[in-house]
Amino acid sequence: NAGVTQTPKFQVLKTGQSMTLQCAQDMNHEYMSWYRQDPGMGLRLIHYSVGAGITDQGEVPNGYNVSRSTTEDFPLRLLSAAPSQTSVYFCASSYSTGYGEKLFFGSGTQLSVL
Amino acid sequence: TQLLEQSPQFLSIQEGENLTVYCNSSSVFSSLQWYRQEPGEGPVLLVTVVTGGEVKKLKRLTFQFGDARKDSSLHITAAQPGDTGLYLCAGAYDYKLSFGAGTTVTVRA
């Protein structure tokens, strides 16, 4: 049972570099989302998708792009990394229970931007 | 601005003691979830409470949703070292989730 798989686990970038964080789920969930977790600030929603071909912005979308070409994959792209993007990133897939989403998280990517 | 405030931020107790973690907001939520996160891993859903005043029990963990659906508490009875982790609450509104900053619980053997 793979669930939600994120790669890489760790990444160090220089300011201005670009990279893609990969996320794949095998639970056939329509909803997928990206969060960043910073000390003292909890999890903040970056972008989310309600199905293949549909994406929308969350609370902190600036500096990040996403696409959803398949149900399984939801990559997060940093176009020009900045030190403020140093964080731990979590991908989640979810389904609606009728009174809220039930989220399944990946194990995270720890990103440092120098 | 975070909708949910969790307290305390850190909690360290001895094995066998009880503890309570609080999650408060001025907003009303359609439901509230509690997650536990261990170092190097993503959060794992523990419970969802939906009805004002609802109480749910999960072994030694008791979750309560406030009558007005603005706050919640998590009580752990006879804590064990395996309960160590970051406890996060998340409120559902407009089909989205807003997370609190979390409470780091350390249970010493």
mmCIF file of all heavy atoms in Angstrom, chain A residues 9 35 37 40-45 48 57 59 90 96 99-108, chain B residues 1-2 9 30-31 33 35 37 40-43 45 48 50 86 88 92 95-97 99-101:
data_model
loop_
_atom_site.group_PDB
_atom_site.id
_atom_site.type_symbol
_atom_site.label_atom_id
_atom_site.label_comp_id
_atom_site.label_asym_id
_atom_site.label_seq_id
_atom_site.Cartn_x
_atom_site.Cartn_y
_atom_site.Cartn_z
ATOM 1 N N LYS A 9 13.158 13.324 -0.864
ATOM 2 C CA LYS A 9 12.950 13.492 0.568
ATOM 3 C C LYS A 9 13.649 14.755 1.070
ATOM 4 O O LYS A 9 13.144 15.440 1.942
ATOM 5 C CB LYS A 9 13.502 12.268 1.318
ATOM 6 C CG LYS A 9 13.268 12.288 2.832
ATOM 7 C CD LYS A 9 11.817 12.100 3.172
ATOM 8 C CE LYS A 9 11.626 11.958 4.688
ATOM 9 N NZ LYS A 9 10.210 11.908 5.054
ATOM 10 N N TYR A 35 0.904 21.455 0.672
ATOM 11 C CA TYR A 35 1.020 22.300 1.840
ATOM 12 C C TYR A 35 2.502 22.548 2.116
ATOM 13 O O TYR A 35 3.357 21.734 1.780
ATOM 14 C CB TYR A 35 0.424 21.630 3.086
ATOM 15 C CG TYR A 35 -1.071 21.481 3.077
ATOM 16 C CD1 TYR A 35 -1.683 20.411 2.440
ATOM 17 C CD2 TYR A 35 -1.879 22.395 3.746
ATOM 18 C CE1 TYR A 35 -3.063 20.268 2.450
ATOM 19 C CE2 TYR A 35 -3.258 22.260 3.761
ATOM 20 C CZ TYR A 35 -3.840 21.192 3.114
ATOM 21 O OH TYR A 35 -5.205 21.045 3.123
ATOM 22 N N GLN A 37 4.958 23.507 5.557
ATOM 23 C CA GLN A 37 4.913 23.523 7.018
ATOM 24 C C GLN A 37 6.139 24.258 7.542
ATOM 25 O O GLN A 37 7.269 23.859 7.292
ATOM 26 C CB GLN A 37 4.877 22.094 7.586
ATOM 27 C CG GLN A 37 4.688 22.040 9.083
ATOM 28 C CD GLN A 37 4.515 20.618 9.585
ATOM 29 O OE1 GLN A 37 5.124 19.679 9.080
ATOM 30 N NE2 GLN A 37 3.650 20.430 10.597
ATOM 31 N N GLY A 40 5.900 27.002 13.948
ATOM 32 C CA GLY A 40 4.995 27.954 14.557
ATOM 33 C C GLY A 40 3.860 28.420 13.658
ATOM 34 O O GLY A 40 3.049 29.242 14.068
ATOM 35 N N MET A 41 3.792 27.902 12.437
ATOM 36 C CA MET A 41 2.759 28.381 11.502
ATOM 37 C C MET A 41 1.855 27.281 10.994
ATOM 38 O O MET A 41 0.941 27.539 10.229
ATOM 39 C CB MET A 41 3.418 29.102 10.325
ATOM 40 C CG MET A 41 4.269 30.275 10.738
ATOM 41 S SD MET A 41 4.740 31.302 9.369
ATOM 42 C CE MET A 41 3.187 32.080 8.990
ATOM 43 N N GLY A 42 2.104 26.063 11.374
ATOM 44 C CA GLY A 42 1.235 24.986 10.929
ATOM 45 C C GLY A 42 1.358 24.712 9.443
ATOM 46 O O GLY A 42 2.308 25.120 8.782
ATOM 47 N N LEU A 43 0.384 24.056 8.907
ATOM 48 C CA LEU A 43 0.339 23.702 7.491
ATOM 49 C C LEU A 43 -0.462 24.762 6.738
ATOM 50 O O LEU A 43 -1.584 25.083 7.105
ATOM 51 C CB LEU A 43 -0.332 22.339 7.307
ATOM 52 C CG LEU A 43 0.480 21.131 7.763
ATOM 53 C CD1 LEU A 43 -0.436 19.968 8.045
ATOM 54 C CD2 LEU A 43 1.483 20.752 6.690
ATOM 55 N N ARG A 44 0.141 25.279 5.671
ATOM 56 C CA ARG A 44 -0.540 26.282 4.852
ATOM 57 C C ARG A 44 -0.705 25.751 3.434
ATOM 58 O O ARG A 44 0.235 25.244 2.837
ATOM 59 C CB ARG A 44 0.233 27.597 4.861
ATOM 60 C CG ARG A 44 0.235 28.302 6.207
ATOM 61 C CD ARG A 44 0.959 29.633 6.143
ATOM 62 N NE ARG A 44 2.390 29.446 5.963
ATOM 63 C CZ ARG A 44 3.235 30.427 5.646
ATOM 64 N NH1 ARG A 44 2.790 31.656 5.481
ATOM 65 N NH2 ARG A 44 4.518 30.167 5.511
ATOM 66 N N LEU A 45 -1.904 25.920 2.901
ATOM 67 C CA LEU A 45 -2.248 25.382 1.589
ATOM 68 C C LEU A 45 -1.629 26.231 0.479
ATOM 69 O O LEU A 45 -1.821 27.449 0.425
ATOM 70 C CB LEU A 45 -3.771 25.343 1.440
ATOM 71 C CG LEU A 45 -4.334 24.781 0.147
ATOM 72 C CD1 LEU A 45 -3.957 23.307 -0.009
ATOM 73 C CD2 LEU A 45 -5.852 24.957 0.109
ATOM 74 N N TYR A 48 -4.230 23.449 -4.868
ATOM 75 C CA TYR A 48 -4.979 22.217 -4.779
ATOM 76 C C TYR A 48 -5.648 21.909 -6.116
ATOM 77 O O TYR A 48 -5.726 22.765 -7.012
ATOM 78 C CB TYR A 48 -6.027 22.272 -3.652
ATOM 79 C CG TYR A 48 -7.116 23.292 -3.834
ATOM 80 C CD1 TYR A 48 -8.364 22.933 -4.346
ATOM 81 C CD2 TYR A 48 -6.911 24.626 -3.480
ATOM 82 C CE1 TYR A 48 -9.372 23.870 -4.492
ATOM 83 C CE2 TYR A 48 -7.915 25.560 -3.628
ATOM 84 C CZ TYR A 48 -9.146 25.178 -4.121
ATOM 85 O OH TYR A 48 -10.139 26.116 -4.275
ATOM 86 N N GLN A 57 -5.629 28.052 -6.585
ATOM 87 C CA GLN A 57 -4.680 28.569 -5.614
ATOM 88 C C GLN A 57 -5.193 28.407 -4.201
ATOM 89 O O GLN A 57 -6.384 28.513 -3.931
ATOM 90 C CB GLN A 57 -4.416 30.046 -5.891
ATOM 91 C CG GLN A 57 -3.772 30.314 -7.233
ATOM 92 C CD GLN A 57 -3.517 31.791 -7.457
ATOM 93 O OE1 GLN A 57 -3.968 32.640 -6.706
ATOM 94 N NE2 GLN A 57 -2.786 32.107 -8.511
ATOM 95 N N GLU A 59 -3.746 29.296 0.026
ATOM 96 C CA GLU A 59 -3.438 30.461 0.870
ATOM 97 C C GLU A 59 -2.127 31.144 0.483
ATOM 98 O O GLU A 59 -2.010 32.367 0.545
ATOM 99 C CB GLU A 59 -3.377 29.999 2.331
ATOM 100 C CG GLU A 59 -3.088 31.072 3.348
ATOM 101 C CD GLU A 59 -2.934 30.503 4.751
ATOM 102 O OE1 GLU A 59 -3.123 29.279 4.923
ATOM 103 O OE2 GLU A 59 -2.610 31.267 5.664
ATOM 104 N N PHE A 90 4.458 19.147 1.966
ATOM 105 C CA PHE A 90 3.662 17.923 2.028
ATOM 106 C C PHE A 90 2.627 17.920 0.918
ATOM 107 O O PHE A 90 1.924 18.914 0.706
ATOM 108 C CB PHE A 90 2.952 17.787 3.370
ATOM 109 C CG PHE A 90 3.870 17.476 4.508
ATOM 110 C CD1 PHE A 90 4.340 18.481 5.332
ATOM 111 C CD2 PHE A 90 4.288 16.175 4.735
ATOM 112 C CE1 PHE A 90 5.201 18.195 6.385
ATOM 113 C CE2 PHE A 90 5.149 15.875 5.782
ATOM 114 C CZ PHE A 90 5.603 16.876 6.608
ATOM 115 N N SER A 96 -13.889 13.302 -0.174
ATOM 116 C CA SER A 96 -14.880 13.991 0.641
ATOM 117 C C SER A 96 -15.753 12.993 1.382
ATOM 118 O O SER A 96 -16.222 12.012 0.805
ATOM 119 C CB SER A 96 -15.759 14.882 -0.245
ATOM 120 O OG SER A 96 -16.768 15.492 0.530
ATOM 121 N N TYR A 99 -18.787 15.818 5.157
ATOM 122 C CA TYR A 99 -18.627 16.910 6.127
ATOM 123 C C TYR A 99 -17.177 17.331 6.236
ATOM 124 O O TYR A 99 -16.755 17.896 7.231
ATOM 125 C CB TYR A 99 -19.171 16.508 7.499
ATOM 126 C CG TYR A 99 -18.797 15.122 7.956
ATOM 127 C CD1 TYR A 99 -17.535 14.844 8.440
ATOM 128 C CD2 TYR A 99 -19.719 14.086 7.891
ATOM 129 C CE1 TYR A 99 -17.190 13.577 8.865
ATOM 130 C CE2 TYR A 99 -19.382 12.807 8.313
ATOM 131 C CZ TYR A 99 -18.113 12.551 8.798
ATOM 132 O OH TYR A 99 -17.781 11.285 9.204
ATOM 133 N N GLY A 100 -16.416 17.067 5.228
ATOM 134 C CA GLY A 100 -15.018 17.496 5.221
ATOM 135 C C GLY A 100 -14.162 16.503 4.483
ATOM 136 O O GLY A 100 -14.597 15.393 4.181
ATOM 137 N N GLU A 101 -12.957 16.950 4.161
ATOM 138 C CA GLU A 101 -12.033 16.091 3.438
ATOM 139 C C GLU A 101 -11.288 15.175 4.398
ATOM 140 O O GLU A 101 -10.919 15.570 5.505
ATOM 141 C CB GLU A 101 -11.009 16.950 2.682
ATOM 142 C CG GLU A 101 -11.614 17.829 1.604
ATOM 143 C CD GLU A 101 -12.251 17.003 0.535
ATOM 144 O OE1 GLU A 101 -11.586 16.065 0.040
ATOM 145 O OE2 GLU A 101 -13.416 17.280 0.192
ATOM 146 N N LYS A 102 -11.029 13.940 3.969
ATOM 147 C CA LYS A 102 -10.165 13.040 4.716
ATOM 148 C C LYS A 102 -8.844 12.992 3.962
ATOM 149 O O LYS A 102 -8.769 12.465 2.845
ATOM 150 C CB LYS A 102 -10.768 11.643 4.827
ATOM 151 C CG LYS A 102 -9.906 10.712 5.669
ATOM 152 C CD LYS A 102 -10.632 9.436 6.012
ATOM 153 C CE LYS A 102 -9.769 8.558 6.916
ATOM 154 N NZ LYS A 102 -10.449 7.326 7.342
ATOM 155 N N LEU A 103 -7.825 13.575 4.548
ATOM 156 C CA LEU A 103 -6.533 13.733 3.887
ATOM 157 C C LEU A 103 -5.568 12.609 4.219
ATOM 158 O O LEU A 103 -5.500 12.141 5.357
ATOM 159 C CB LEU A 103 -5.885 15.063 4.305
ATOM 160 C CG LEU A 103 -6.203 16.300 3.473
ATOM 161 C CD1 LEU A 103 -7.664 16.682 3.617
ATOM 162 C CD2 LEU A 103 -5.305 17.452 3.859
ATOM 163 N N PHE A 104 -4.817 12.209 3.201
ATOM 164 C CA PHE A 104 -3.731 11.263 3.364
ATOM 165 C C PHE A 104 -2.467 11.981 2.889
ATOM 166 O O PHE A 104 -2.388 12.391 1.727
ATOM 167 C CB PHE A 104 -3.971 10.010 2.519
ATOM 168 C CG PHE A 104 -5.196 9.253 2.935
ATOM 169 C CD1 PHE A 104 -6.452 9.640 2.499
ATOM 170 C CD2 PHE A 104 -5.090 8.147 3.766
ATOM 171 C CE1 PHE A 104 -7.592 8.949 2.875
ATOM 172 C CE2 PHE A 104 -6.227 7.450 4.145
ATOM 173 C CZ PHE A 104 -7.473 7.848 3.701
ATOM 174 N N PHE A 105 -1.488 12.124 3.786
ATOM 175 C CA PHE A 105 -0.292 12.889 3.478
ATOM 176 C C PHE A 105 0.860 11.989 3.063
ATOM 177 O O PHE A 105 0.991 10.850 3.534
ATOM 178 C CB PHE A 105 0.155 13.691 4.705
ATOM 179 C CG PHE A 105 -0.694 14.901 4.991
ATOM 180 C CD1 PHE A 105 -1.792 14.805 5.823
ATOM 181 C CD2 PHE A 105 -0.378 16.124 4.427
ATOM 182 C CE1 PHE A 105 -2.578 15.923 6.093
ATOM 183 C CE2 PHE A 105 -1.156 17.247 4.698
ATOM 184 C CZ PHE A 105 -2.247 17.137 5.528
ATOM 185 N N GLY A 106 1.731 12.538 2.198
ATOM 186 C CA GLY A 106 3.010 11.915 1.936
ATOM 187 C C GLY A 106 3.955 12.185 3.089
ATOM 188 O O GLY A 106 3.600 12.863 4.063
ATOM 189 N N SER A 107 5.185 11.702 2.987
ATOM 190 C CA SER A 107 6.143 11.829 4.086
ATOM 191 C C SER A 107 6.943 13.122 4.024
ATOM 192 O O SER A 107 7.775 13.367 4.886
ATOM 193 C CB SER A 107 7.080 10.623 4.117
ATOM 194 O OG SER A 107 7.762 10.517 2.890
ATOM 195 N N GLY A 108 6.717 13.941 3.008
ATOM 196 C CA GLY A 108 7.293 15.279 2.985
ATOM 197 C C GLY A 108 8.607 15.401 2.236
ATOM 198 O O GLY A 108 9.337 14.428 2.047
ATOM 199 N N THR B 1 -3.137 34.911 8.499
ATOM 200 C CA THR B 1 -3.755 34.825 9.829
ATOM 201 C C THR B 1 -4.345 33.435 10.017
ATOM 202 O O THR B 1 -5.099 32.965 9.180
ATOM 203 C CB THR B 1 -4.877 35.855 9.982
ATOM 204 O OG1 THR B 1 -4.358 37.144 9.735
ATOM 205 C CG2 THR B 1 -5.413 35.790 11.403
ATOM 206 N N GLN B 2 -3.912 32.784 11.130
ATOM 207 C CA GLN B 2 -4.427 31.460 11.396
ATOM 208 C C GLN B 2 -5.783 31.556 12.047
ATOM 209 O O GLN B 2 -5.999 32.336 12.977
ATOM 210 C CB GLN B 2 -3.462 30.697 12.305
ATOM 211 C CG GLN B 2 -2.254 30.168 11.551
ATOM 212 C CD GLN B 2 -1.391 29.313 12.417
ATOM 213 O OE1 GLN B 2 -0.827 29.788 13.373
ATOM 214 N NE2 GLN B 2 -1.286 28.052 12.096
ATOM 215 N N GLN B 9 1.884 25.306 23.206
ATOM 216 C CA GLN B 9 2.711 25.040 22.044
ATOM 217 C C GLN B 9 3.574 23.805 22.284
ATOM 218 O O GLN B 9 3.817 23.021 21.369
ATOM 219 C CB GLN B 9 3.595 26.245 21.744
ATOM 220 C CG GLN B 9 4.358 26.132 20.436
ATOM 221 C CD GLN B 9 5.131 27.393 20.107
ATOM 222 O OE1 GLN B 9 5.089 28.382 20.837
ATOM 223 N NE2 GLN B 9 5.862 27.367 18.994
ATOM 224 N N SER B 30 -17.552 23.421 10.067
ATOM 225 C CA SER B 30 -18.495 22.339 9.807
ATOM 226 C C SER B 30 -18.009 21.034 10.437
ATOM 227 O O SER B 30 -18.826 20.161 10.754
ATOM 228 C CB SER B 30 -18.696 22.166 8.302
ATOM 229 O OG SER B 30 -17.458 21.931 7.659
ATOM 230 N N SER B 31 -16.726 20.889 10.575
ATOM 231 C CA SER B 31 -16.163 19.731 11.267
ATOM 232 C C SER B 31 -14.754 20.092 11.705
ATOM 233 O O SER B 31 -14.182 21.089 11.242
ATOM 234 C CB SER B 31 -16.131 18.499 10.365
ATOM 235 O OG SER B 31 -15.252 18.685 9.272
ATOM 236 N N GLN B 33 -10.864 18.246 12.646
ATOM 237 C CA GLN B 33 -10.059 17.040 12.609
ATOM 238 C C GLN B 33 -8.841 17.189 13.513
ATOM 239 O O GLN B 33 -8.328 18.289 13.712
ATOM 240 C CB GLN B 33 -9.593 16.762 11.169
ATOM 241 C CG GLN B 33 -10.725 16.562 10.191
ATOM 242 C CD GLN B 33 -10.245 16.338 8.773
ATOM 243 O OE1 GLN B 33 -9.091 16.576 8.454
ATOM 244 N NE2 GLN B 33 -11.125 15.870 7.914
ATOM 245 N N TYR B 35 -4.920 15.483 13.936
ATOM 246 C CA TYR B 35 -3.865 14.692 13.315
ATOM 247 C C TYR B 35 -2.709 14.545 14.311
ATOM 248 O O TYR B 35 -2.473 15.402 15.153
ATOM 249 C CB TYR B 35 -3.316 15.403 12.063
ATOM 250 C CG TYR B 35 -4.276 15.490 10.904
ATOM 251 C CD1 TYR B 35 -5.284 16.450 10.861
ATOM 252 C CD2 TYR B 35 -4.164 14.623 9.820
ATOM 253 C CE1 TYR B 35 -6.153 16.543 9.787
ATOM 254 C CE2 TYR B 35 -5.017 14.708 8.739
ATOM 255 C CZ TYR B 35 -6.019 15.663 8.732
ATOM 256 O OH TYR B 35 -6.870 15.751 7.668
ATOM 257 N N GLN B 37 1.505 13.876 14.035
ATOM 258 C CA GLN B 37 2.632 13.848 13.103
ATOM 259 C C GLN B 37 3.904 13.464 13.858
ATOM 260 O O GLN B 37 4.227 14.067 14.881
ATOM 261 C CB GLN B 37 2.805 15.218 12.447
ATOM 262 C CG GLN B 37 3.899 15.283 11.405
ATOM 263 C CD GLN B 37 4.013 16.651 10.775
ATOM 264 O OE1 GLN B 37 3.452 17.630 11.254
ATOM 265 N NE2 GLN B 37 4.734 16.756 9.671
ATOM 266 N N GLY B 40 9.751 13.521 10.593
ATOM 267 C CA GLY B 40 10.085 12.980 9.286
ATOM 268 C C GLY B 40 8.934 12.353 8.533
ATOM 269 O O GLY B 40 9.144 11.754 7.464
ATOM 270 N N GLU B 41 7.736 12.486 9.072
ATOM 271 C CA GLU B 41 6.571 11.890 8.424
ATOM 272 C C GLU B 41 5.475 12.937 8.247
ATOM 273 O O GLU B 41 5.514 14.017 8.837
ATOM 274 C CB GLU B 41 6.031 10.735 9.264
ATOM 275 C CG GLU B 41 7.011 9.579 9.429
ATOM 276 C CD GLU B 41 7.319 8.904 8.108
ATOM 277 O OE1 GLU B 41 6.440 8.874 7.230
ATOM 278 O OE2 GLU B 41 8.464 8.418 7.949
ATOM 279 N N GLY B 42 4.486 12.590 7.433
ATOM 280 C CA GLY B 42 3.347 13.472 7.269
ATOM 281 C C GLY B 42 2.318 13.237 8.364
ATOM 282 O O GLY B 42 2.341 12.217 9.054
ATOM 283 N N PRO B 43 1.412 14.194 8.552
ATOM 284 C CA PRO B 43 0.353 14.022 9.565
ATOM 285 C C PRO B 43 -0.547 12.837 9.218
ATOM 286 O O PRO B 43 -0.797 12.544 8.056
ATOM 287 C CB PRO B 43 -0.430 15.338 9.471
ATOM 288 C CG PRO B 43 0.500 16.312 8.820
ATOM 289 C CD PRO B 43 1.333 15.507 7.895
ATOM 290 N N LEU B 45 -4.369 11.273 10.153
ATOM 291 C CA LEU B 45 -5.665 11.626 10.737
ATOM 292 C C LEU B 45 -6.014 10.681 11.887
ATOM 293 O O LEU B 45 -5.951 9.460 11.754
ATOM 294 C CB LEU B 45 -6.748 11.555 9.661
ATOM 295 C CG LEU B 45 -8.172 11.878 10.108
ATOM 296 C CD1 LEU B 45 -8.268 13.337 10.535
ATOM 297 C CD2 LEU B 45 -9.164 11.584 8.981
ATOM 298 N N THR B 48 -12.306 12.732 13.261
ATOM 299 C CA THR B 48 -13.088 13.875 12.785
ATOM 300 C C THR B 48 -14.306 14.019 13.684
ATOM 301 O O THR B 48 -15.022 13.035 13.919
ATOM 302 C CB THR B 48 -13.564 13.669 11.336
ATOM 303 O OG1 THR B 48 -12.429 13.479 10.492
ATOM 304 C CG2 THR B 48 -14.347 14.887 10.854
ATOM 305 N N VAL B 50 -17.910 16.219 14.247
ATOM 306 C CA VAL B 50 -18.824 16.922 13.358
ATOM 307 C C VAL B 50 -19.899 17.709 14.106
ATOM 308 O O VAL B 50 -20.229 18.834 13.747
ATOM 309 C CB VAL B 50 -19.504 15.933 12.391
ATOM 310 C CG1 VAL B 50 -20.463 16.641 11.467
ATOM 311 C CG2 VAL B 50 -18.472 15.162 11.608
ATOM 312 N N LEU B 86 3.668 15.586 17.261
ATOM 313 C CA LEU B 86 3.043 16.893 17.045
ATOM 314 C C LEU B 86 1.567 16.663 16.764
ATOM 315 O O LEU B 86 1.215 15.922 15.850
ATOM 316 C CB LEU B 86 3.703 17.594 15.857
ATOM 317 C CG LEU B 86 3.106 18.933 15.418
ATOM 318 C CD1 LEU B 86 3.318 19.986 16.499
ATOM 319 C CD2 LEU B 86 3.734 19.391 14.101
ATOM 320 N N LEU B 88 -1.969 18.188 15.639
ATOM 321 C CA LEU B 88 -2.506 19.287 14.844
ATOM 322 C C LEU B 88 -4.022 19.205 14.797
ATOM 323 O O LEU B 88 -4.577 18.125 14.610
ATOM 324 C CB LEU B 88 -1.975 19.215 13.411
ATOM 325 C CG LEU B 88 -0.484 19.363 13.192
ATOM 326 C CD1 LEU B 88 -0.075 18.796 11.839
ATOM 327 C CD2 LEU B 88 -0.080 20.827 13.278
ATOM 328 N N ALA B 92 -12.679 22.540 9.153
ATOM 329 C CA ALA B 92 -13.186 22.517 7.781
ATOM 330 C C ALA B 92 -14.171 23.661 7.570
ATOM 331 O O ALA B 92 -15.083 23.871 8.374
ATOM 332 C CB ALA B 92 -13.875 21.195 7.490
ATOM 333 N N TYR B 95 -15.263 23.757 2.240
ATOM 334 C CA TYR B 95 -14.605 22.588 1.639
ATOM 335 C C TYR B 95 -13.079 22.688 1.683
ATOM 336 O O TYR B 95 -12.389 22.019 0.926
ATOM 337 C CB TYR B 95 -15.074 22.388 0.199
ATOM 338 C CG TYR B 95 -16.572 22.223 0.109
ATOM 339 C CD1 TYR B 95 -17.385 23.279 -0.277
ATOM 340 C CD2 TYR B 95 -17.173 21.020 0.456
ATOM 341 C CE1 TYR B 95 -18.757 23.138 -0.316
ATOM 342 C CE2 TYR B 95 -18.541 20.876 0.427
ATOM 343 C CZ TYR B 95 -19.328 21.935 0.029
ATOM 344 O OH TYR B 95 -20.689 21.795 -0.001
ATOM 345 N N LYS B 96 -12.534 23.534 2.565
ATOM 346 C CA LYS B 96 -11.097 23.608 2.752
ATOM 347 C C LYS B 96 -10.780 23.320 4.212
ATOM 348 O O LYS B 96 -11.661 23.307 5.061
ATOM 349 C CB LYS B 96 -10.573 24.995 2.370
ATOM 350 C CG LYS B 96 -10.783 25.357 0.918
ATOM 351 C CD LYS B 96 -10.314 26.772 0.647
ATOM 352 C CE LYS B 96 -10.644 27.173 -0.786
ATOM 353 N NZ LYS B 96 -10.302 28.588 -1.047
ATOM 354 N N LEU B 97 -9.506 23.123 4.499
ATOM 355 C CA LEU B 97 -9.058 22.887 5.867
ATOM 356 C C LEU B 97 -8.104 23.988 6.284
ATOM 357 O O LEU B 97 -7.204 24.350 5.524
ATOM 358 C CB LEU B 97 -8.346 21.541 5.985
ATOM 359 C CG LEU B 97 -9.183 20.277 6.086
ATOM 360 C CD1 LEU B 97 -8.272 19.066 6.127
ATOM 361 C CD2 LEU B 97 -10.090 20.300 7.295
ATOM 362 N N PHE B 99 -5.367 24.711 9.285
ATOM 363 C CA PHE B 99 -4.639 24.001 10.326
ATOM 364 C C PHE B 99 -4.159 24.945 11.414
ATOM 365 O O PHE B 99 -3.754 26.084 11.141
ATOM 366 C CB PHE B 99 -3.418 23.294 9.729
ATOM 367 C CG PHE B 99 -3.733 22.032 9.009
ATOM 368 C CD1 PHE B 99 -4.134 22.052 7.680
ATOM 369 C CD2 PHE B 99 -3.626 20.800 9.648
ATOM 370 C CE1 PHE B 99 -4.428 20.880 7.006
ATOM 371 C CE2 PHE B 99 -3.917 19.621 8.978
ATOM 372 C CZ PHE B 99 -4.319 19.663 7.659
ATOM 373 N N GLY B 100 -4.145 24.445 12.655
ATOM 374 C CA GLY B 100 -3.465 25.135 13.726
ATOM 375 C C GLY B 100 -1.967 24.879 13.631
ATOM 376 O O GLY B 100 -1.516 24.034 12.847
ATOM 377 N N ALA B 101 -1.192 25.595 14.445
ATOM 378 C CA ALA B 101 0.273 25.469 14.408
ATOM 379 C C ALA B 101 0.760 24.211 15.111
ATOM 380 O O ALA B 101 1.903 23.793 14.912
ATOM 381 C CB ALA B 101 0.931 26.699 15.013
#
